[in-house]
Amino acid sequence: MKESAIEDTPLFNQSLAKALSVIRAFSSRQRTMTLAEIAIVAQITRSSAQRIVFTLEALGYIRKHPQTRRFLLTPRALSIGCNYLEADPLVDCANPFLAALNAQCKESVALTEPDGLDMVYVSRFPSHEHVTIHVPVGKRVPMYCTGSGRAYLSARNDQESMEILKQSERKKYTPTTITDIGEILNMLEEAKARGYAYNNEELYIGDVTIASPIVNASGEAIAAVHVAAPGSRWTFAEASQKLAPLVLECARSISNAARNFD
């Protein structure tokens, strides 16, 4: 059922949807906002924003800065995402293997899960060395131009992968971002054959990722694991040669341990 159709059903709670849109409105680009700004970013009326912000403030999810009088999220907002992470069996299952991979390669290792057109970071072990790109748990990245997204798509059926690519905005984040569907499909076929996918500075300049899908008992991808290799320490060729075998082994281990997960 399409989102517009769902919103027209009598069971759909508009007030709850608006409240969630207010929480999602805050980001690294919108750390603090006025009531008017919240209404614009959340795409709701100012009167709705006023009622929702008042309620969220009373519940402790939003507060008003005493000096600037601008609204910002509180640490309590983290409880929503934390509840998911605590209830997700794949995170507990994968973490020992992710930690081992992190110790082997010394670079940032992450587990991502699909949500719509994006992959979402649900676990991350940071690099032992300096990194310039901060990617917190909960961060969303598009499937079409990331190693984790391509790894996931490579282990899904062709029709689903094509539909996701067609619906994606496919914008160029960097000069090297690949946006052509045909070219991406070729990359997915190559990833399927060798077991891993990559992203060579397509989302962030100076960032290469090597990723492999985590699959269930039916061989369908349910998540992906990747290593981020900074260009300051790795060439693409080195990352492919040295990191890919480690990522493949980690993904196989997690897949075997999680074979009964949907």
Side-chain angles (χ1 to χ4, degrees), residues 38-57:
I38 290 174
I40 292 172
V41 177
Q43 297 182 325
I44 58 179
T45 65
R46 183 173 178 128
S47 59
S48 291
Q50 186 174 32
R51 292 193 298 272
I52 291 167
V53 168
F54 177 85
T55 303
L56 291 174
E57 188 176 13

Side-chain angles (χ1 to χ4, degrees), residues 147-159:
S148 59
R150 289 171 181 163
Y152 172 79
L153 292 175
S154 72
R156 301 297 297 187
N157 66 70
D158 295 342
Q159 183 178 354

Side-chain angles (χ1 to χ4, degrees), residues 226-254:
H226 76 258
V227 171
S232 59
R233 291 191 288 273
W234 297 83
T235 65
F236 176 70
E238 289 172 339
S240 300
Q241 179 183 7
K242 298 179 180 180
L243 297 179
L246 301 179
V247 174
L248 279 166
E249 180 58 31
C250 180
R252 290 192 190 105
S253 298
I254 298 173

Side-chain angles (χ1 to χ4, degrees), residues 41-116:
V41 177
Q43 297 182 325
I44 58 179
T45 65
R46 183 173 178 128
S47 59
S48 291
Q50 186 174 32
R51 292 193 298 272
I52 291 167
V53 168
F54 177 85
T55 303
L56 291 174
E57 188 176 13
L59 294 173
Y61 291 93
I62 285 177
R63 70 179 178 89
K64 184 184 289 185
H65 193 280
Q67 280 77 46
T68 66
R69 311 300 292 172
R70 295 170 66 85
F71 293 98
L72 63 156
L73 294 178
T74 71
R76 183 168 294 183
L78 282 172
S79 63
I80 300 173
C82 184
N83 289 346
Y84 173 79
L85 296 177
E86 289 181 338
D88 184 1
L90 184 58
V91 173
D92 282 341
C93 171
N95 274 342
F97 301 105
L98 298 176
L101 176 57
N102 175 250
Q104 282 181 295
C105 68
K106 312 298 183 185
E107 298 293 356
S108 298
V109 173
L111 174 71
T112 60
E113 294 182 358
D115 182 35

Side-chain angles (χ1 to χ4, degrees), residues 7 12-22 24 42 44 52:
E7 292 179 1
F12 188 82
N13 191 310
Q14 294 282 355
S15 296
L16 177 58
K18 291 177 180 178
L20 291 173
S21 72
V22 168
R24 290 196 302 267
I44 58 179
I52 291 167

Side-chain angles (χ1 to χ4, degrees), residues 98-149:
L98 298 176
L101 176 57
N102 175 250
Q104 282 181 295
C105 68
K106 312 298 183 185
E107 298 293 356
S108 298
V109 173
L111 174 71
T112 60
E113 294 182 358
D115 182 35
L117 307 178
D118 300 326
M119 298 298 285
V120 182
Y121 281 69
V122 295
S123 183
R124 182 174 182 269
F125 288 75
S127 172
H128 296 209
E129 307 293 338
H130 172 72
V131 291
T132 58
I133 301 171
H134 173 55
V135 185
V137 169
K139 175 74 174 179
R140 304 174 69 91
V141 294
M143 288 188 191
Y144 75 92
C145 67
T146 56
S148 59

Side-chain angles (χ1 to χ4, degrees), residues 146-147 150 187 190 194 196-200 202 209-211 236:
T146 56
R150 289 171 181 163
M187 296 179 75
E190 293 172 359
R194 65 175 172 253
Y196 71 89
Y198 66 84
N199 148 35
N200 189 5
E202 294 180 57
T209 60
I210 304 295
F236 176 70

